[in-house]
Amino acid sequence: MNNLDLLTAITVFVLSVLVGVEVISKVPATLHTPLMSGSNAVHGIVVIGAMLIAAESHTWPGYALAFVAMVFGAMNVVGGYAVTDRMLEMFRARPGEKKDG
């Protein structure tokens, strides 16, 4: 990986962070939970892409960039599943509670 490739990778990473923050900050709170739970597959693809970057990299900045991408992607996957589980817990019947109908 030469310096131009590294600069391009860092530029794409920084721009994607900025765009992601801007997009998510505009989502209303009522839509944030379904959006986050529905994006688990996308973040799984991000983790796989970061693994591919790590496999192709031969310099420590490339490894560092891949590590950061894997950490952020994994945090999003775990957070998405945790939020989904919490959201689904709200719809489960409590023990001893009768169903209407």
Side-chain angles (χ1 to χ4, degrees):
M1 180 181 260
N2 61 28
N3 288 335
L4 186 57
D5 290 340
L6 180 61
L7 183 62
T8 302
I10 291 172
T11 302
V12 169
F13 177 73
V14 170
L15 288 175
S16 65
V17 168
L18 293 174
V19 168
V21 168
E22 187 65 25
V23 168
I24 294 300
S25 67
K26 302 287 189 239
V27 175
T30 55
L31 294 178
H32 194 270
T33 300
L35 175 68
M36 187 173 179
S37 64
S39 65
N40 287 333
V42 174
H43 295 297
I45 293 170
V46 169
V47 173
I48 292 171
M51 289 178 189
L52 292 175
I53 290 172
E56 293 293 321
S57 180
H58 301 292
T59 62
W60 69 268
Y63 291 133
L65 185 62
F67 176 76
V68 169
M70 279 188 256
V71 168
F72 286 153
M75 284 187 334
N76 281 326
V77 169
V78 171
Y81 281 114
V83 168
T84 302
D85 185 53
R86 188 172 177 189
M87 181 177 62
L88 292 174
E89 187 68 34
M90 294 187 311
F91 295 104
R92 290 191 185 122
R94 291 180 180 87
E97 189 175 293
K98 289 186 176 180
K99 286 187 176 183
D100 293 335

